[in-house]
């Protein structure tokens, strides 16, 4: 079953991406971010909304700006290098806005990759980084492969477990193609990102069985629960042991190790809600082979996958990044849908912090 948890023209308002960028930047600046950091934070949130990742998009400006204003986040912020080698760095996000520290960490990784072929950065003292693959995708314009991950406070049970122990610990991976769309994988290691449960509740649709279970019984949930609590948990990718939940669980712990243990910032169950420890990597393809040859082979692979005969009733076999690239084509042309309640909340927040409401 394809999920019905989506925005449509009756539950959302379309706004041009440029107006969202300006509005969000102004809100971030009004609560103490530098101009550059305000623009970065806005860019990452707008990119998520443009790509159809509405759970991690523009609406988050409300909570993030409140956190900045009340001191939960430190702004203005600094991303500082604690230790480094030619190819690696451990950085502190300075407890600032997570979007900014992950962005700046990926800038460091890309600079190292330009010189040495590889750059890898683990980030501690971090907050929510939003759409994790954004940082991986920063590598694309440099003809590099990017990878990014983040660990979060518990929302997911381990395979066979009856307690939330892991974050939704997502993995992002981006690799450039030539004429085809870039490969762009952006996935929670749970069956779904937790924000989609909240979105389903707000727009009044059931969630597919398998996203989560009651705790401790392990019973099926289709009515979206009202917020996170100890009475339910998301399932690791795979859902049941027979269908591979041990593999989603393993990937989630891998994310915890690279982001939380390697940085020392803490693994999922040591984190408070809203904290994200992260990890990013950039790989310079030209250090391995000619970039045009790489992209031509990527094109061949993607075309072959697209040409796979689909199952009955299915229009087409896709490659990771296709649904979001389609959303991007639509949203850049016709405006970005912002959930009605969240549209009102962004306007209200702009007025509260004393900036012009322009959306
Ligand atoms: N910061 C955090 O704490 C945090 C935690 C979890 C998730 N997230 C974010 O939540 C967002 C949603 O995550 P999700 O796991 O629910 O994503 P999803 O299930 O919507 O998509 C996962 C991936 O599958 C691809 N995909 C979709 N349909 C496909 C098909 N038919 N064939 C091939 N590939 C296909 C998508 O392009 C995407 O790369 C992501 O942006 C993620 O980074 C953030």
């Amino acid at each position: 079953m394809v999920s019905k948890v989506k925005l449509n023209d009756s539950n959302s308002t379309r706004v041009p991406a440029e107006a969202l960028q300006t509005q969000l930047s102004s809100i971030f600046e009004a609560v103490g971010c530098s101009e550059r950091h305000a623009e970065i934070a806005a860019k990452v949130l707008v990119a998520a909304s443009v790509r159809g990742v509405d759970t991690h998009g523009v609406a988050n400006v409300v909570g993030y700006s409140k956190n900045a204003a009340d001191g939960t986040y430190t702004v203005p912020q600094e991303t500082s290098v604690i230790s480094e080698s030619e190819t690696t760095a451990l950085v502190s996000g300075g407890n600032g806005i997570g979007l900014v520290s992950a962005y700046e960490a990926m800038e460091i990784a890309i600079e190292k990759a330009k010189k040495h072929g590889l750059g890898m950065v683990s980030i501690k003292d971090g907050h929510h980084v939003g759409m994790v693959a954004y940082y991986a995708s920063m590598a694309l314009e440099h003809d590099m492969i990017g990878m990014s991950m983040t660990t979060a406070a518990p929302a997911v049970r381990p395979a066979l477990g009856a307690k939330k122990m892991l974050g939704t610990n997502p993995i992002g991976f981006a690799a450039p193609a030539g004429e085809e769309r870039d490969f762009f994988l952006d996935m929670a290691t749970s069956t779904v990102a937790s924000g989609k449960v909240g979105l389903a509740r707000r727009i009044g649709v059931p969630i597919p069985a398998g996203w989560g279970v009651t705790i401790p019984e392990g019973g099926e949930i289709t009515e979206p629960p009202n917020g996170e609590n100890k009475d339910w948990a998301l399932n690791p990718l795979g859902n049941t042991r027979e269908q591979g939940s041990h593999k989603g669980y393993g990937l989630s712990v891998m994310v915890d190790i690279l982001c939380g243990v390697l940085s020392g910032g803490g693994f999922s169950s040591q984190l408070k809600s809203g904290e994200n420890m992260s990890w990013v990597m950039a790989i310079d393809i030209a250090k391995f082979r000619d970039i045009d040859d790489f992209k031509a082979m990527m094109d061949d692979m993607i075309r072959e996958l697209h040409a796979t005969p689909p199952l009955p009733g299915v229009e087409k076999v896709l490659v990771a990044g296709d649904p979001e690239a389609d959303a991007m084509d639509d949203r850049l042309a016709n405006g970005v849908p912002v959930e009605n309640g969240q549209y009102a909340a962004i306007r209200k927040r702009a007025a509260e912090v004393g900036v012009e409401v322009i959306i």
Side-chain angles (χ1 to χ4, degrees):
M1 184 184 101
V2 176
S3 166
K4 295 189 178 63
V5 188
K6 287 203 166 73
L7 295 186
N8 56 45
D9 286 338
S10 66
N11 60 29
S12 64
T13 306
R14 292 220 180 217
V15 184
E18 301 75 26
L20 288 167
Q21 174 70 32
T22 307
Q23 184 74 85
L24 266 57
S25 293
S26 68
I27 296 174
F28 281 123
E29 239 186 298
V31 295
C33 298
S34 69
E35 186 182 345
R36 173 181 141 82
H37 286 170
E39 276 174 15
I40 290 172
K43 190 160 69 164
V44 178
L45 292 182
V46 173
S49 284
V50 166
R51 291 182 65 80
V53 185
D54 298 306
T55 47
H56 293 72
V58 292
N60 288 285
V61 71
V62 176
Y64 293 163
S65 67
K66 285 183 179 163
N67 288 343
D70 72 13
T72 308
Y73 294 172
T74 302
V75 292
Q77 67 190 86
E78 193 187 347
T79 307
S80 53
V81 175
I82 299 168
S83 61
E84 66 179 326
S85 71
E86 281 87 350
T87 53
T88 63
L90 169 65
V91 307
S92 166
N95 291 308
I97 295 177
L99 310 166
V100 172
S101 26
Y103 187 102
E104 294 191 330
M106 190 59 176
E107 287 184 322
I108 294 171
I110 289 168
E111 283 311 306
K112 289 183 180 293
K114 278 184 192 162
K115 290 188 199 135
H116 305 290
L118 185 78
M120 188 188 290
V121 182
S122 200
I123 309 152
K124 63 189 292 195
D125 311 322
H127 287 121
H128 199 237
V129 299
M131 180 181 83
V132 83
Y134 183 89
Y135 314 100
S137 76
M138 288 168 64
L140 294 173
E141 65 182 281
H142 302 280
D143 283 342
M144 293 182 186
I145 294 171
M147 200 160 180
S148 46
M149 305 178 191
T150 198
T151 181
V156 185
R157 64 181 185 86
L160 309 180
K163 185 181 173 192
K164 296 190 287 188
M165 298 297 288
L166 297 154
T168 45
N169 295 4
I171 299 174
F173 181 94
E179 292 165 6
E180 298 298 321
R181 291 156 156 182
D182 299 324
F183 182 84
F184 197 122
L185 178 67
D186 187 17
M187 49 162 274
T189 50
S190 46
T191 42
V192 72
S194 54
K196 284 188 188 158
V197 178
L199 175 61
R201 189 166 179 91
R202 291 195 303 279
I203 65 178
V205 296
I207 57 171
W211 279 14
V213 289
T214 60
I215 292 293
E217 306 83 1
E220 185 176 288
I221 299 177
T222 53
E223 169 79 29
N226 188 11
E228 291 193 13
N229 59 55
K230 62 176 179 33
D231 298 330
W232 73 283
L234 288 168
N235 288 321
L237 196 58
N239 178 17
T240 63
R241 176 68 175 81
E242 293 70 26
Q243 292 181 346
S245 60
H246 51 297
K247 293 185 257 188
Y249 169 37
L251 285 173
S252 175
V253 177
M254 179 189 84
V255 173
D256 252 350
I257 293 166
L258 287 172
C259 302
V261 182
L262 189 61
S263 72
F267 52 89
S268 298
S269 65
Q270 296 181 327
L271 302 185
K272 292 202 279 283
S273 175
E275 288 183 332
N276 269 182
M277 304 303 141
S278 305
W279 175 94
V280 293
M281 178 168 71
I283 303 167
D284 186 9
I285 295 162
K287 300 285 195 296
F288 289 79
R289 61 182 302 210
D290 178 80
I291 183 67
D292 292 330
D293 292 346
F294 175 91
K295 287 182 178 177
M297 193 183 271
M298 285 289 295
D299 285 346
D300 288 344
M301 181 177 64
I302 291 167
R303 284 177 194 138
E304 275 194 22
L305 291 167
H306 280 155
T308 311
L311 283 169
V314 174
E315 192 189 329
K316 190 176 175 221
V317 169
L318 304 177
V319 173
D322 282 344
E324 293 80 13
D326 286 342
M328 197 163 151
D329 291 345
D330 166 51
R331 291 171 176 215
L332 288 178
N334 304 313
V336 180
V338 183
E339 200 182 326
N340 288 332
Q342 298 186 332
Y343 174 69
I346 298 171
R347 288 170 52 88
K348 180 166 173 256
R349 186 68 186 142
E352 268 167 15
V353 300
V355 297
E356 189 186 354
V357 180
I358 59 147
I359 62 166

Short mmCIF file of all heavy atoms in Angstrom, two decimals, residues 208-254:
data_model
loop_
_atom_site.label_atom_id
_atom_site.label_comp_id
_atom_site.label_asym_id
_atom_site.label_seq_id
_atom_site.Cartn_x
_atom_site.Cartn_y
_atom_site.Cartn_z
N PRO A 208 0.16 3.16 7.81
CA PRO A 208 0.21 1.76 7.40
C PRO A 208 0.65 0.86 8.57
O PRO A 208 1.53 1.25 9.33
CB PRO A 208 1.26 1.74 6.29
CG PRO A 208 1.42 3.16 5.85
CD PRO A 208 1.11 4.01 7.04
N ALA A 209 0.04 -0.32 8.68
CA ALA A 209 0.48 -1.29 9.69
C ALA A 209 1.94 -1.60 9.43
O ALA A 209 2.36 -1.71 8.28
CB ALA A 209 -0.36 -2.56 9.58
N GLY A 210 2.73 -1.70 10.50
CA GLY A 210 4.15 -2.01 10.31
C GLY A 210 5.05 -0.83 10.60
O GLY A 210 6.24 -1.00 10.83
N TRP A 211 4.49 0.39 10.62
CA TRP A 211 5.34 1.54 10.97
C TRP A 211 5.74 1.46 12.44
O TRP A 211 6.87 1.78 12.80
CB TRP A 211 4.60 2.86 10.71
CG TRP A 211 4.61 3.32 9.29
CD1 TRP A 211 4.95 2.58 8.19
CD2 TRP A 211 4.25 4.63 8.81
NE1 TRP A 211 4.83 3.36 7.05
CE2 TRP A 211 4.41 4.62 7.40
CE3 TRP A 211 3.82 5.81 9.41
CZ2 TRP A 211 4.15 5.75 6.60
CZ3 TRP A 211 3.55 6.92 8.62
CH2 TRP A 211 3.73 6.89 7.24
N GLY A 212 4.78 1.06 13.28
CA GLY A 212 5.08 1.03 14.71
C GLY A 212 4.28 -0.05 15.42
O GLY A 212 3.38 -0.65 14.82
N VAL A 213 4.62 -0.29 16.68
CA VAL A 213 3.88 -1.28 17.49
C VAL A 213 3.62 -0.70 18.88
O VAL A 213 4.33 0.20 19.33
CB VAL A 213 4.66 -2.61 17.67
CG1 VAL A 213 4.72 -3.41 16.39
CG2 VAL A 213 6.05 -2.37 18.24
N THR A 214 2.60 -1.28 19.55
CA THR A 214 2.37 -0.91 20.94
C THR A 214 3.46 -1.55 21.79
O THR A 214 3.99 -2.61 21.47
CB THR A 214 1.00 -1.41 21.42
OG1 THR A 214 0.96 -2.84 21.29
CG2 THR A 214 -0.14 -0.80 20.62
N ILE A 215 3.80 -0.86 22.88
CA ILE A 215 4.82 -1.35 23.81
C ILE A 215 4.16 -1.58 25.16
O ILE A 215 3.44 -0.69 25.63
CB ILE A 215 5.96 -0.30 23.94
CG1 ILE A 215 6.74 -0.17 22.64
CG2 ILE A 215 6.91 -0.64 25.09
CD1 ILE A 215 7.56 -1.36 22.23
N PRO A 216 4.31 -2.77 25.80
CA PRO A 216 5.24 -3.85 25.44
C PRO A 216 4.62 -4.96 24.60
O PRO A 216 5.32 -5.91 24.27
CB PRO A 216 5.64 -4.40 26.81
CG PRO A 216 4.40 -4.26 27.64
CD PRO A 216 3.71 -2.99 27.14
N GLU A 217 3.32 -4.86 24.22
CA GLU A 217 2.64 -6.00 23.60
C GLU A 217 3.13 -6.32 22.19
O GLU A 217 3.04 -7.45 21.72
CB GLU A 217 1.13 -5.76 23.53
CG GLU A 217 0.47 -5.42 24.86
CD GLU A 217 0.60 -3.93 25.20
OE1 GLU A 217 1.17 -3.17 24.40
OE2 GLU A 217 0.15 -3.53 26.28
N GLY A 218 3.60 -5.29 21.45
CA GLY A 218 3.98 -5.51 20.05
C GLY A 218 2.77 -5.54 19.14
O GLY A 218 2.83 -6.10 18.05
N GLY A 219 1.65 -4.93 19.58
CA GLY A 219 0.43 -4.94 18.77
C GLY A 219 0.50 -3.93 17.63
O GLY A 219 1.22 -2.94 17.69
N GLU A 220 -0.30 -4.22 16.58
CA GLU A 220 -0.31 -3.37 15.38
C GLU A 220 -0.89 -1.98 15.68
O GLU A 220 -1.83 -1.85 16.46
CB GLU A 220 -1.17 -4.09 14.35
CG GLU A 220 -1.23 -3.45 13.01
CD GLU A 220 -2.05 -4.32 12.05
OE1 GLU A 220 -1.55 -5.39 11.65
OE2 GLU A 220 -3.18 -3.91 11.71
N ILE A 221 -0.35 -0.95 15.05
CA ILE A 221 -0.89 0.41 15.19
C ILE A 221 -1.25 0.94 13.80
O ILE A 221 -0.40 0.91 12.89
CB ILE A 221 0.15 1.38 15.80
CG1 ILE A 221 0.56 0.94 17.19
CG2 ILE A 221 -0.38 2.81 15.83
CD1 ILE A 221 1.64 1.83 17.81
N THR A 222 -2.48 1.42 13.64
CA THR A 222 -2.83 2.12 12.39
C THR A 222 -3.37 3.52 12.68
O THR A 222 -3.34 4.38 11.81
CB THR A 222 -3.87 1.33 11.55
OG1 THR A 222 -4.98 1.03 12.39
CG2 THR A 222 -3.28 0.07 10.98
N GLU A 223 -3.87 3.72 13.92
CA GLU A 223 -4.30 5.04 14.34
C GLU A 223 -3.04 5.80 14.78
O GLU A 223 -2.36 5.36 15.72
CB GLU A 223 -5.27 4.87 15.52
CG GLU A 223 -5.66 6.12 16.27
CD GLU A 223 -6.72 6.93 15.53
OE1 GLU A 223 -7.51 6.33 14.81
OE2 GLU A 223 -6.68 8.16 15.71
N PRO A 224 -2.67 6.92 14.13
CA PRO A 224 -1.40 7.56 14.51
C PRO A 224 -1.41 8.05 15.96
O PRO A 224 -2.31 8.80 16.34
CB PRO A 224 -1.27 8.74 13.54
CG PRO A 224 -2.56 8.84 12.80
CD PRO A 224 -3.34 7.61 13.01
N PRO A 225 -0.46 7.60 16.80
CA PRO A 225 -0.43 8.02 18.19
C PRO A 225 -0.22 9.52 18.32
O PRO A 225 0.34 10.16 17.43
CB PRO A 225 0.77 7.26 18.78
CG PRO A 225 1.07 6.18 17.82
CD PRO A 225 0.63 6.67 16.48
N ASN A 226 -0.67 10.06 19.46
CA ASN A 226 -0.58 11.50 19.70
C ASN A 226 0.77 11.81 20.35
O ASN A 226 0.88 11.89 21.56
CB ASN A 226 -1.74 11.94 20.59
CG ASN A 226 -1.81 13.45 20.71
OD1 ASN A 226 -1.12 14.16 19.99
ND2 ASN A 226 -2.63 13.92 21.62
N GLY A 227 1.80 11.94 19.54
CA GLY A 227 3.12 12.27 20.06
C GLY A 227 3.88 11.05 20.54
O GLY A 227 3.35 9.94 20.59
N GLU A 228 5.14 11.30 20.89
CA GLU A 228 5.99 10.18 21.34
C GLU A 228 5.74 9.92 22.81
O GLU A 228 5.67 10.84 23.61
CB GLU A 228 7.45 10.53 21.10
CG GLU A 228 7.78 10.57 19.61
CD GLU A 228 9.27 10.60 19.32
OE1 GLU A 228 10.06 10.35 20.25
OE2 GLU A 228 9.61 10.86 18.16
N ASN A 229 5.59 8.64 23.15
CA ASN A 229 5.49 8.26 24.56
C ASN A 229 5.95 6.80 24.68
O ASN A 229 6.22 6.14 23.67
CB ASN A 229 4.07 8.47 25.12
CG ASN A 229 3.05 7.67 24.34
OD1 ASN A 229 3.19 6.46 24.22
ND2 ASN A 229 2.04 8.33 23.79
N LYS A 230 5.98 6.29 25.92
CA LYS A 230 6.56 4.96 26.14
C LYS A 230 5.62 3.82 25.73
O LYS A 230 5.99 2.66 25.77
CB LYS A 230 6.98 4.80 27.60
CG LYS A 230 5.84 4.89 28.58
CD LYS A 230 6.32 4.61 29.99
CE LYS A 230 5.20 4.71 31.02
NZ LYS A 230 3.86 4.32 30.61
N ASP A 231 4.39 4.16 25.30
CA ASP A 231 3.41 3.13 24.98
C ASP A 231 3.48 2.62 23.54
O ASP A 231 2.72 1.74 23.15
CB ASP A 231 1.99 3.66 25.23
CG ASP A 231 1.80 4.02 26.69
OD1 ASP A 231 2.46 3.37 27.54
OD2 ASP A 231 1.02 4.95 26.99
N TRP A 232 4.36 3.20 22.75
CA TRP A 232 4.51 2.69 21.38
C TRP A 232 5.93 3.01 20.90
O TRP A 232 6.60 3.87 21.45
CB TRP A 232 3.46 3.31 20.45
CG TRP A 232 3.69 4.75 20.11
CD1 TRP A 232 3.45 5.83 20.91
CD2 TRP A 232 4.25 5.29 18.91
NE1 TRP A 232 3.80 6.99 20.28
CE2 TRP A 232 4.29 6.69 19.04
CE3 TRP A 232 4.70 4.71 17.71
CZ2 TRP A 232 4.79 7.52 18.03
CZ3 TRP A 232 5.19 5.54 16.71
CH2 TRP A 232 5.22 6.93 16.87
N ALA A 233 6.34 2.27 19.87
CA ALA A 233 7.68 2.50 19.29
C ALA A 233 7.59 2.31 17.79
O ALA A 233 6.76 1.53 17.29
CB ALA A 233 8.68 1.50 19.86
N LEU A 234 8.44 3.02 17.07
CA LEU A 234 8.60 2.74 15.65
C LEU A 234 9.35 1.42 15.51
O LEU A 234 10.13 1.04 16.40
CB LEU A 234 9.40 3.85 14.97
CG LEU A 234 8.68 5.18 14.79
CD1 LEU A 234 9.67 6.26 14.38
CD2 LEU A 234 7.56 5.07 13.75
N ASN A 235 9.13 0.75 14.39
CA ASN A 235 9.85 -0.49 14.11
C ASN A 235 11.15 -0.20 13.37
O ASN A 235 11.20 0.72 12.55
CB ASN A 235 9.00 -1.42 13.23
CG ASN A 235 7.84 -2.02 14.00
OD1 ASN A 235 8.00 -2.37 15.17
ND2 ASN A 235 6.69 -2.12 13.37
N PRO A 236 12.19 -1.01 13.63
CA PRO A 236 13.38 -0.89 12.77
C PRO A 236 13.00 -1.31 11.34
O PRO A 236 12.06 -2.09 11.16
CB PRO A 236 14.38 -1.87 13.39
CG PRO A 236 13.57 -2.81 14.22
CD PRO A 236 12.31 -2.09 14.60
N LEU A 237 13.71 -0.77 10.36
CA LEU A 237 13.47 -1.11 8.96
C LEU A 237 13.40 -2.63 8.82
O LEU A 237 14.28 -3.34 9.29
CB LEU A 237 14.65 -0.58 8.15
CG LEU A 237 14.52 -0.46 6.65
CD1 LEU A 237 13.35 0.41 6.27
CD2 LEU A 237 15.81 0.14 6.11
N GLY A 238 12.35 -3.12 8.20
CA GLY A 238 12.13 -4.56 8.09
C GLY A 238 10.94 -5.00 8.91
O GLY A 238 10.28 -5.98 8.60
N ASN A 239 10.68 -4.30 10.01
CA ASN A 239 9.51 -4.52 10.86
C ASN A 239 9.57 -5.83 11.65
O ASN A 239 9.73 -5.81 12.86
CB ASN A 239 8.23 -4.41 10.02
CG ASN A 239 6.97 -4.67 10.79
OD1 ASN A 239 6.99 -4.62 12.01
ND2 ASN A 239 5.88 -4.92 10.11
N THR A 240 9.48 -6.98 11.00
CA THR A 240 9.54 -8.24 11.73
C THR A 240 10.88 -8.94 11.48
O THR A 240 11.55 -8.68 10.47
CB THR A 240 8.42 -9.21 11.29
OG1 THR A 240 8.64 -9.53 9.90
CG2 THR A 240 7.04 -8.59 11.46
N ARG A 241 11.23 -9.84 12.38
CA ARG A 241 12.49 -10.58 12.23
C ARG A 241 12.52 -11.33 10.89
O ARG A 241 13.53 -11.35 10.20
CB ARG A 241 12.63 -11.54 13.42
CG ARG A 241 13.83 -12.47 13.39
CD ARG A 241 15.15 -11.69 13.56
NE ARG A 241 16.29 -12.58 13.66
CZ ARG A 241 16.88 -13.13 12.60
NH1 ARG A 241 16.43 -12.91 11.38
NH2 ARG A 241 17.92 -13.93 12.77
N GLU A 242 11.36 -11.92 10.52
CA GLU A 242 11.28 -12.68 9.27
C GLU A 242 11.54 -11.76 8.06
O GLU A 242 12.08 -12.18 7.05
CB GLU A 242 9.88 -13.32 9.09
CG GLU A 242 9.55 -14.40 10.10
CD GLU A 242 9.33 -13.87 11.51
OE1 GLU A 242 8.95 -12.68 11.67
OE2 GLU A 242 9.58 -14.63 12.47
N GLN A 243 11.13 -10.49 8.19
CA GLN A 243 11.29 -9.57 7.05
C GLN A 243 12.54 -8.70 7.17
O GLN A 243 12.71 -7.75 6.40
CB GLN A 243 10.03 -8.73 6.89
CG GLN A 243 8.87 -9.61 6.45
CD GLN A 243 7.59 -8.85 6.23
OE1 GLN A 243 7.47 -7.70 6.64
NE2 GLN A 243 6.64 -9.51 5.62
N GLY A 244 13.40 -9.01 8.13
CA GLY A 244 14.72 -8.39 8.13
C GLY A 244 14.92 -7.26 9.12
O GLY A 244 15.82 -6.43 8.94
N SER A 245 14.13 -7.21 10.20
CA SER A 245 14.28 -6.09 11.15
C SER A 245 15.67 -6.07 11.79
O SER A 245 16.15 -5.01 12.20
CB SER A 245 13.22 -6.18 12.25
OG SER A 245 13.33 -7.39 12.97
N HIS A 246 16.33 -7.23 11.84
CA HIS A 246 17.69 -7.26 12.40
C HIS A 246 18.65 -6.45 11.55
O HIS A 246 19.65 -5.95 12.05
CB HIS A 246 18.17 -8.72 12.54
CG HIS A 246 18.03 -9.53 11.28
ND1 HIS A 246 16.82 -9.80 10.69
CD2 HIS A 246 18.96 -10.10 10.48
CE1 HIS A 246 17.00 -10.52 9.60
NE2 HIS A 246 18.29 -10.71 9.45
N LYS A 247 18.32 -6.29 10.25
CA LYS A 247 19.23 -5.54 9.37
C LYS A 247 19.01 -4.02 9.55
O LYS A 247 19.98 -3.25 9.60
CB LYS A 247 19.05 -5.98 7.92
CG LYS A 247 19.53 -7.44 7.75
CD LYS A 247 19.50 -7.89 6.32
CE LYS A 247 18.31 -8.78 6.07
NZ LYS A 247 18.35 -9.40 4.74
N GLY A 248 17.77 -3.59 9.65
CA GLY A 248 17.52 -2.18 9.96
C GLY A 248 18.12 -1.82 11.31
O GLY A 248 18.73 -0.74 11.48
N TYR A 249 17.98 -2.72 12.25
CA TYR A 249 18.54 -2.53 13.59
C TYR A 249 20.07 -2.40 13.53
O TYR A 249 20.68 -1.49 14.11
CB TYR A 249 18.09 -3.73 14.45
CG TYR A 249 18.75 -3.91 15.78
CD1 TYR A 249 19.10 -2.83 16.59
CD2 TYR A 249 18.98 -5.21 16.27
CE1 TYR A 249 19.69 -3.03 17.83
CE2 TYR A 249 19.56 -5.42 17.51
CZ TYR A 249 19.92 -4.33 18.28
OH TYR A 249 20.49 -4.53 19.50
N GLY A 250 20.70 -3.28 12.76
CA GLY A 250 22.16 -3.23 12.62
C GLY A 250 22.62 -1.92 12.00
O GLY A 250 23.60 -1.31 12.46
N LEU A 251 21.91 -1.48 10.96
CA LEU A 251 22.28 -0.20 10.32
C LEU A 251 22.13 0.96 11.31
O LEU A 251 22.95 1.88 11.34
CB LEU A 251 21.37 0.06 9.11
CG LEU A 251 21.67 -0.78 7.86
CD1 LEU A 251 20.59 -0.55 6.80
CD2 LEU A 251 23.04 -0.43 7.29
N SER A 252 21.10 0.89 12.13
CA SER A 252 20.86 1.96 13.10
C SER A 252 22.00 2.04 14.12
O SER A 252 22.47 3.13 14.46
CB SER A 252 19.52 1.69 13.81
OG SER A 252 19.34 2.62 14.81
N VAL A 253 22.48 0.89 14.56
CA VAL A 253 23.59 0.88 15.52
C VAL A 253 24.88 1.36 14.82
O VAL A 253 25.69 2.07 15.42
CB VAL A 253 23.77 -0.52 16.15
CG1 VAL A 253 24.98 -0.53 17.08
CG2 VAL A 253 22.51 -0.91 16.92
N MET A 254 25.03 1.01 13.56
CA MET A 254 26.19 1.52 12.80
C MET A 254 26.17 3.06 12.81
O MET A 254 27.21 3.70 13.03
CB MET A 254 26.11 1.00 11.36
CG MET A 254 27.22 1.48 10.46
SD MET A 254 26.91 1.03 8.73
CE MET A 254 25.86 2.38 8.22
#
